[in-house]
Amino acid sequence: MVSSRLAKRLRHYQLESFSDYFELLNNGSFPEEKQLLVDLLTTNETYFFREPGHFEFLQNTILPTHRRGQTFRVWSAASSAGQEAYSIAMILADKLGGASWDVVGTDLSARVLETARSGHYPMTRIEGIPKDYLRKYCLQGTGDYEDTLLIDAPVRKRVQFVHANLNTFLPDLGVFDVIFLRNVMIYFNQNTKNEVIGRVSALLKPEGYFFIGHSEALKGIDNGLKSIVPTVYQKSGLSKYADNRDKVEAVAG
């Protein structure tokens, strides 16, 4: 897979080996090449309302307990081309309406983030969107845009997409009521899982909810997250994090 995805880059630079390409990546001559490498190697398989039980839990269990007057924030931490983030946004638009809410999507690939920001998708990728959401929050393309779908502007404006690497220092994103980190940890070893979960869950508000993929587990990871139902966790209350109280309140604003 790596060879097939990068072979064109070797031909582009007229290189004879991957060792030569590795040297090119690290000599600083083409700084944009590293991001292109990431875009070529990352697999961005996702679709709207994937693993629907999570969205039902958000809609039926979490949102009814939300205190009006406070901004409800959700982070799609591996947002890929944006389908997960917009699925969340449609639910929030439906259930919270004009109340204060926002969604942040992050991903390692700059290429898929461009698609996410556009909110523009082929009609072949809309399976899973409830029919009433299609009518309320999506626009069907015509003419040159036939067979495509555009997320309606009022929903798009509530969703921000940011480039971020979960394995390094994260950008200033604020704190969140809910974090979706799904189908990412299957690619990591145990040490990396510990580091990523610690880094990401630090931005979850006390008693906030944390979603992982159905093929994943947090076994052996000490992170202050308790299992609520399979693949859904909740962060312990602020009392367990008294040493971080000032930091949490400062980030929360």
Side-chain angles (χ1 to χ4, degrees), residues 2-189:
V2 172
S3 296
S4 64
R5 293 188 181 185
L6 297 184
K8 290 182 179 180
R9 304 312 298 163
L10 268 66
R11 293 195 293 270
H12 175 79
Y13 289 108
Q14 299 181 335
L15 301 174
E16 295 184 357
S17 68
F18 285 102
S19 295
D20 292 339
Y21 184 61
F22 181 77
E23 182 177 345
L24 179 146
L25 287 169
N26 288 288
N27 65 20
S29 300
F30 301 93
E32 71 282 356
E33 187 67 24
K34 285 188 177 181
Q35 182 59 56
L36 182 56
L37 168 72
V38 169
D39 292 341
L40 289 171
L41 292 183
T42 49
T43 300
N44 306 109
E45 174 60 31
T46 188
Y47 44 89
F48 288 99
F49 291 90
R50 184 180 185 180
E51 299 177 353
H54 287 160
F55 298 99
E56 293 170 5
F57 191 91
L58 171 63
Q59 177 176 302
N60 300 328
T61 303
I62 299 176
L63 289 180
T65 67
H66 172 60
R67 296 176 182 176
R68 297 283 176 159
Q70 298 180 355
T71 301
F72 189 86
R73 307 192 70 231
V74 183
W75 179 16
S76 172
S79 62
S80 187
Q83 289 94 328
E84 180 179 86
Y86 287 126
S87 298
I88 295 166
M90 289 182 209
I91 291 175
L92 300 188
D94 184 39
K95 299 303 177 182
L96 299 183
S100 182
W101 60 267
D102 64 75
V103 178
V104 175
T106 61
D107 201 89
L108 182 63
S109 171
R111 172 178 52 84
V112 296
L113 288 175
E114 291 181 7
T115 299
R117 293 186 182 106
S118 74
H120 190 209
Y121 303 95
M123 291 293 288
T124 55
R125 304 294 293 176
I126 68 170
E127 184 178 355
I129 303 179
K131 290 183 179 180
D132 57 332
Y133 284 5
L134 278 172
R135 290 192 299 268
K136 292 169 67 174
Y137 306 121
C138 305
L139 303 173
Q140 185 172 348
T142 60
D144 292 341
Y145 299 100
E146 189 175 1
D147 297 324
T148 67
L149 170 147
L150 180 67
I151 305 298
D152 204 7
V155 174
R156 291 202 318 273
K157 290 177 181 178
R158 297 281 198 114
V159 184
Q160 176 188 12
F161 290 98
V162 179
H163 183 265
N165 183 349
L166 301 179
N167 272 308
T168 62
F169 182 77
L170 293 170
D172 183 10
L173 302 173
V175 293
F176 299 90
D177 298 274
V178 177
I179 294 175
F180 282 68
L181 181 66
R182 306 191 301 169
N183 306 304
V184 175
M185 291 183 294
I186 54 175
Y187 301 106
F188 298 151
N189 62 30

Side-chain angles (χ1 to χ4, degrees), residues 75 170-171 173-176 179 199-205 235:
W75 179 16
L170 293 170
L173 302 173
V175 293
F176 299 90
I179 294 175
R199 193 175 294 119
V200 172
S201 64
L203 301 187
L204 184 63
K205 294 179 182 179
K235 190 170 185 177

